Amino acid sequence: VKVTPLSGFPEFLPAQRVVEREVIASLSDTFELHGFANIETRVVEQLDRLAKGGEVDKEIYVLRRLHATDDDATGDKQLGLHFDLTVPFARYVLEHAGHLEFPFRRYQIQPAWRGERPQEGRYRQFNQADVDIVGRDVLPFHHDVEVMRVMVDALDALPIPPVSFQFNNRKLIQGFYRGLGVPDVTAAIRTIDKLDKLPENLVADLLVSDAGATPEQAARCLELATIRVPDTSFVAQVQALGVTDDLLDEGLAELAAVVEGCAAGGHDSVTVEANLRIARGLDYYTGTVVEIFMAGYERLKSVGGGGRYDALASDGKTTYPGVGVSFGVSRALVPLVAEGVLNGSRSVPSAVLVSVADEQSRPEADAVARALRSRGIPCEVAPSAAKFGKQIRHADRRGIPYVWFATTDPDGATTHEVKDIRSGNQVPADPAAWEPPAEDLRPTIIGFEARP
Amino acid sequence: VKVTPLSGFPEFLPAQRVVEREVIASLSDTFELHGFANIETRVVEQLDRLAKGGEVDKEIYVLRRLHATDDDATGDKQLGLHFDLTVPFARYVLEHAGHLEFPFRRYQIQPAWRGERPQEGRYRQFNQADVDIVGRDVLPFHHDVEVMRVMVDALDALPIPPVSFQFNNRKLIQGFYRGLGVPDVTAAIRTIDKLDKLPENLVADLLVSDAGATPEQAARCLELATIRVPDTSFVAQVQALGVTDDLLDEGLAELAAVVEGCAAGGHDSVTVEANLRIARGLDYYTGTVVEIFMAGYERLKSVGGGGRYDALASDGKTTYPGVGVSFGVSRALVPLVAEGVLNGSRSVPSAVLVSVADEQSRPEADAVARALRSRGIPCEVAPSAAKFGKQIRHADRRGIPYVWFATTDPDGATTHEVKDIRSGNQVPADPAAWEPPAEDLRPTIIGFEARP
């Protein structure tokens, strides 16, 4: 009978849920100010679309009906829960292409599922927020700058610790390695991506053994990976390494444009860097790549990431290039909430508890509540006509700031008063006119003040 | 390569999704005005909590990892996707009881999953909106009236066809059958619940064969079931049938209070009835029951329902009585959207497309967009410096009402103008001051005008 939590499936208490809702509302606001349309995809995809032979395959949750005797009869294909929002988005674009306008700019905030071993920041069900722009056949580069700047604006508006956007560009790395003469460029990228897990000398050895580089080439690859600056000075630093290649030049120009575009605009809690060791292992990135880190929470690894992919989807005839970036809502928020860094200001939406003097007068209390609600003031009526002290404690335990009292004298005249239970201040009030201060109207996020 | 829809998993196009989002936002607003806190539960429950031997069991989707070799090692229990929001809510209450304040008033808007044969209004993944109030050990009856009235207010505010709340009370039926002397009251309730599928004479026969009623008793049960009125006149009608029973009296008083409480308040598109054939087959209801129907869409059966359950959850020591009601968001909206009765006014949030005269002037267009966004006006910048006619068509195809033009003359002076592409009207405008009319600021729901 005892109910214990399910590891990897975190759940928020009502006040904690305020944090998640406000964060999602704020992200949505920013995305919409930039003209991104919201979509939701179904949570299941056909298994052959999810499982592509990669590392993530073994973490896919596959569905079957409990008594699946008629699966064959109804022609069901095997279904799995999506493990990110990119695979379902690519399928959505292909399925609905005839009804979409391109470039198609969408955001999507939904859970995804991975059956991995739970740890801090890694959950089996987690919410994620993705923004992407996808073109039909072509997608001009300026959309790379645009979509990254949208996420910079979005995270800058959140009441979370400062975040750092660390950008690189696959053309830059590929062109550099190619210009350097490294035999297996793809293997070299995959190897350099291990720099956050392995020491430099070991990565150098692997570049030689796995990518066919000479020790001298391996040293130059590592030199490139040490470049990390908050502006476009990386261009001169890379050029000083003396490698020439057309693709390298293109990558340098693109990365400079992204860094410049994202650094502009006076953000309070976002920093932007070119960090030339960011590679992102996934094969499908072809240009801009980014990883996002949260100050003080580097142990979570990145709280977001993304990049440019020249073939998000393809139906054989048409190819859909895309660029996008994802923010791990659960990955960032669950630890912040668990540590009490963030919490909701109260556990209920109510700004007012309308007290009940006795059960006979409940209709009058209901009428007060209706009057307040008609002017957009969330409120609730006390569940029982307990002593007023108990009703005030009822409000206090939920964080409701105001308690309303209506007292009727023997002549039938009713006096209305409202008490701010934080100050104890009680004043006459008219149900048809009284308003709480704007900051008390709705629950808000409390806790994180450390803006720079 | 061709992607075909997955039967039973409907997905909305971006403009259609506007309808669903606005409906969910409106429901949330009403629930919060009444002080209900939002929660989200994880989508999975342990299978032994979901499968209780009922009809729904065979529709449960069970999860397993694709390569589940280490399931035993990590001690995983079998997990399934929830098929409603009541089972997870009951589990949430038990799991978090120590951190919740009772009576606990929550709403929850999430998908649920059932592997049933797809048909109109019945989907394998569907969104649902639930409001419930749950007490610890006790829950006064007035909460029945409260929670039903909240849903009446919530649906009255939606731009959907009129809905009808049809109330009954299990105490009323049980007391009537008991007072009448029907041997098996439970079987009789289950039988009367079939009146919407079977003809009356067959139901009468079943009352005799399955519930042990005499033909005379069966006739009286059917007589009770024919009573359907929009006010409390059912009380006198039932009393005229000459059955006396304490539980019957209690049920009559409760049903009268619910009908009166929900009918009050001047709703535009909600009607309220006492309909004494509503039984709701589910065993756990113990008092108020309700089913909700949508005018013109009776073929969908109910689009919502709920009631009172004296034991929503129990941990052996403490029992949690509850009362709640659910609205089938997908069940109601998917047919309305598919038929084109409802649609979004545009497929993107943008109120303005900022045109681009040539790629060199893209930064100036970005600056105009920033100025508009800083004042809360959603906008996007044209993806290419195509001919203005083509840029206007770009806006038109997405339903964006305004196109912004900035032209710089040879002396470097810039003129700003904004065109309402519906009227063709083009006027000078200041990026730091111009505002669209409020009704153009955000996408809205269009289509349903037929309010009574």
Side-chain angles (χ1 to χ4, degrees), chain B residues 241-256:
Chain B
L241 296 177
V243 176
T244 51
D245 182 278
D246 286 351
L247 196 61
L248 170 60
D249 290 343
E250 209 180 307
L252 286 169
E254 287 191 1
L255 182 56

Side-chain angles (χ1 to χ4, degrees), chain A residues 10-57:
Chain A
E11 261 174 352
F12 287 133
L13 291 169
Q16 297 171 333
R17 170 71 179 148
V18 168
V19 176
E20 189 178 42
R21 289 197 82 210
E22 291 295 311
V23 163
I24 288 173
S26 174
L27 292 170
S28 302
D29 273 357
T30 306
F31 299 154
E32 293 184 4
L33 278 175
H34 287 264
F36 284 71
N38 179 249
I39 65 164
E40 274 194 5
T41 55
R42 50 177 157 83
V43 303
V44 297
E45 296 295 330
Q46 293 186 354
L47 192 56
D48 53 9
R49 195 164 281 280
L50 289 170
K52 298 287 192 191
E55 266 297 291
V56 77
D57 280 12

Side-chain angles (χ1 to χ4, degrees), chain A residues 1 3-6 9 11-14 17 21 28 32-44 46-47 49 51 57-58 60-67 70 74 76 78-79 81 91-92 94-96 99-105 107 113 115 117 124-125 140 142-143 149 314-316 347-350 359 362 366 370 373 376-380 383 397-398 442, chain B residues 1 3-6 9 11-14 17 21 28 32-44 46-47 49 51 57-58 60-67 70 74 76 78-79 81 91-92 94-96 99-105 107 113 115 117 124-125 140 142-143 149 314-316 347-350 359 362 366 370 373 376-380 383 397-398 442:
Chain A
V1 174
V3 181
T4 51
L6 204 56
F9 291 92
E11 261 174 352
F12 287 133
L13 291 169
R17 170 71 179 148
R21 289 197 82 210
S28 302
E32 293 184 4
L33 278 175
H34 287 264
F36 284 71
N38 179 249
I39 65 164
E40 274 194 5
T41 55
R42 50 177 157 83
V43 303
V44 297
Q46 293 186 354
L47 192 56
R49 195 164 281 280
D57 280 12
K58 65 175 188 298
I60 296 172
Y61 282 114
V62 180
L63 263 55
R64 67 171 174 83
R65 274 182 287 172
L66 187 52
H67 304 301
D70 56 350
T74 57
D76 278 2
Q78 258 206 309
L79 301 177
L81 295 178
R91 191 265 315 152
Y92 182 95
L94 288 178
E95 184 173 330
H96 303 287
H99 302 281
L100 302 175
E101 297 295 336
F102 294 91
F104 176 46
R105 307 154 85 256
Y107 78 93
W113 293 267
R117 200 170 295 269
R124 293 182 159 194
Q125 174 178 329
H142 64 76
H143 290 297
R149 202 161 49 188
S314 172
D315 61 8
S347 66
V348 293
S350 309
E359 279 304 325
R362 180 169 295 279
D366 284 340
R370 258 199 310 281
R373 285 178 195 130
I377 302 167
C379 60
E380 60 190 79
R397 278 197 302 270
R398 288 161 178 78
R442 308 248 163 215
Chain B
V1 172
V3 180
T4 51
L6 204 55
F9 291 91
E11 264 177 350
F12 286 134
L13 292 169
R17 170 70 178 149
R21 291 196 81 212
S28 303
E32 294 183 3
L33 279 175
H34 287 263
F36 284 71
N38 179 249
I39 65 164
E40 274 194 5
T41 54
R42 49 178 160 82
V43 304
V44 297
Q46 293 186 355
L47 192 55
R49 195 164 280 281
D57 279 12
K58 64 177 190 297
I60 297 172
Y61 282 114
V62 180
L63 264 56
R64 67 172 172 81
R65 274 181 286 172
L66 188 51
H67 305 301
D70 55 351
T74 57
D76 278 1
Q78 258 206 309
L79 302 177
L81 296 177
R91 192 265 315 151
Y92 181 95
L94 288 178
E95 184 173 331
H96 303 287
H99 302 282
L100 302 176
E101 297 294 337
F102 294 92
F104 177 46
R105 306 154 86 255
Y107 77 93
W113 293 266
R117 200 170 294 270
R124 294 182 158 193
Q125 174 177 330
H142 65 75
H143 290 297
R149 202 162 47 190
S314 172
D315 61 8
S347 66
V348 294
S350 309
E359 280 304 325
R362 181 169 294 279
D366 284 339
R370 257 198 311 282
R373 286 180 195 128
I377 302 166
C379 60
E380 59 190 80
R397 277 197 302 270
R398 287 159 179 80
R442 307 249 164 214

Side-chain angles (χ1 to χ4, degrees), chain B residues 13 25 36 47 64 66 96 142 156 212 233 292 301 332 339 341 390 423 429 434:
Chain B
L13 292 169
F36 284 71
L47 192 55
R64 67 172 172 81
L66 188 51
H96 303 287
H142 65 75
D156 190 54
S233 60
I292 307 168
K301 313 277 179 196
E339 292 177 1
V341 175
K390 201 175 164 196
S423 65
W434 178 84

Side-chain angles (χ1 to χ4, degrees), chain B residues 187-200:
Chain B
I189 293 175
R190 210 176 302 125
T191 305
I192 213 79
D193 198 36
K194 294 178 179 157
L195 267 176
D196 58 341
K197 293 183 197 106
L198 301 178
E200 282 196 18

Side-chain angles (χ1 to χ4, degrees), chain B residues 364-447:
Chain B
E364 286 76 50
D366 284 339
V368 170
R370 257 198 311 282
L372 295 174
R373 286 180 195 128
S374 73
R375 294 180 297 106
I377 302 166
C379 60
E380 59 190 80
V381 175
S384 79
K387 286 185 179 155
F388 282 147
K390 201 175 164 196
Q391 296 191 46
I392 290 171
R393 279 197 302 281
H394 174 103
D396 190 39
R397 277 197 302 270
R398 287 159 179 80
I400 303 173
Y402 297 94
V403 177
W404 193 281
F405 300 96
T407 40
T408 304
D409 69 20
D411 304 334
T414 302
T415 313
H416 290 278
E417 290 189 298
V418 67
K419 179 196 276 287
D420 181 335
I421 66 169
R422 296 158 300 187
S423 65
N425 192 22
Q426 185 164 336
V427 294
D430 177 357
W434 178 84
E435 286 190 17
E439 64 270 23
D440 286 337
L441 193 60
R442 307 249 164 214
T444 53
I445 300 178
I446 52 167

